[in-house]
Amino acid sequence: LLQKYGYTHLSAGDLLRDERKRPGSQYGELIENYIKEGEIVPVEITISLLKRAMDQTMAANSQKNKFLIDGFPRNEDNLQGWNKTMDGKADVSFVLFFDCDNEICVGRCLERGKSSGRSDDNRESLEKRIHTYLQSTKPIIDLYERMGKVRKVDASKSVDEVFEKVVQIFDKEG
């Protein structure tokens, strides 16, 4: 889907998990501790990984300059770090917000945890992540909403229904 619209998918979480496993990483242990506690990794680390991935993608193909950044920004610090680092280099076209009831989210993550191997797919970490979301992430979504940049998808629906809604959004946004 993203390739059809010319986007490269970058997952902040995947980049952090990959960096955590990378031999010799100066951030590995730090990232692991934040993830396990359901807390947000310091912005300098996440931004540097995102920027590196974006730069590598564009160096390989200069036409690939549209990114869907998954799971970022997560808090005010992330947003300020993004604005400071990416000012004049990248514009946020819109925020794709998958809205879902907490219990459905927890159920899905616990199910994923049976095979994911992720250290944060357990009830204790998930409860902490929900608390972090409400305290830190929701205000960022609200901010983008006031700017008219949020495109909301009811993620409690079936996979096919959610996908169809996402397709409609990308058809409209390009």
Side-chain angles (χ1 to χ4, degrees):
L1 172 70
L2 293 177
Q3 286 159 340
K4 174 184 172 186
Y5 298 96
Y7 285 83
T8 298
H9 175 250
L10 295 178
S11 163
D14 285 350
L15 290 170
L16 289 164
R17 283 184 288 276
D18 289 348
E19 181 67 20
R20 176 186 61 184
K21 288 184 258 177
R22 192 173 64 78
S25 169
Q26 59 179 336
Y27 302 127
E29 197 176 326
L30 185 73
I31 291 169
E32 172 62 24
N33 291 335
Y34 276 94
I35 288 175
K36 207 160 48 184
E37 289 303 314
E39 293 177 5
I40 296 166
V41 174
V43 67
E44 296 79 14
I45 297 171
T46 311
I47 286 271
S48 70
L49 297 177
L50 283 168
K51 191 168 183 324
R52 182 172 73 193
M54 292 168 82
D55 289 343
Q56 286 171 346
T57 301
M58 291 185 293
N61 180 347
S62 61
Q63 301 299 304
K64 289 190 157 219
N65 61 359
K66 287 167 63 174
F67 298 90
L68 184 137
I69 300 177
D70 175 354
F72 188 88
R74 292 263 170 124
N75 62 13
E76 181 66 30
D77 193 38
N78 280 184
L79 183 61
Q80 296 301 332
W82 173 266
N83 290 340
K84 187 174 138 197
T85 307
M86 299 307 217
D87 185 42
K89 296 179 188 138
D91 294 319
V92 176
S93 302
F94 64 98
V95 172
L96 190 58
F97 174 48
F98 292 91
D99 194 14
C100 194
D101 172 82
N102 288 345
E103 271 315 300
I104 292 173
C105 281
V106 168
R108 288 176 178 173
C109 288
L110 290 174
E111 189 60 35
R112 177 181 70 185
K114 292 175 183 175
S115 61
S116 71
R118 284 181 51 166
S119 60
D120 58 344
D121 277 345
N122 61 72
R123 187 164 287 276
E124 187 184 358
S125 288
L126 291 166
E127 295 294 339
K128 291 176 184 176
R129 285 166 61 190
I130 288 169
H131 176 77
T132 299
Y133 164 77
L134 291 171
Q135 195 175 350
S136 303
T137 307
K138 185 75 172 81
I140 301 304
I141 294 163
D142 294 343
L143 175 73
Y144 277 114
E145 191 138 37
R146 289 192 295 275
M147 295 164 65
K149 292 195 173 203
V150 172
R151 308 295 176 264
K152 196 178 287 193
V153 176
D154 181 354
S156 66
K157 305 269 191 216
S158 72
V159 170
D160 290 340
E161 288 172 295
V162 170
F163 182 77
E164 184 54 42
K165 179 67 176 167
V166 171
V167 168
Q168 289 170 13
I169 291 168
F170 275 92
D171 278 343
K172 189 175 177 194
E173 298 294 338

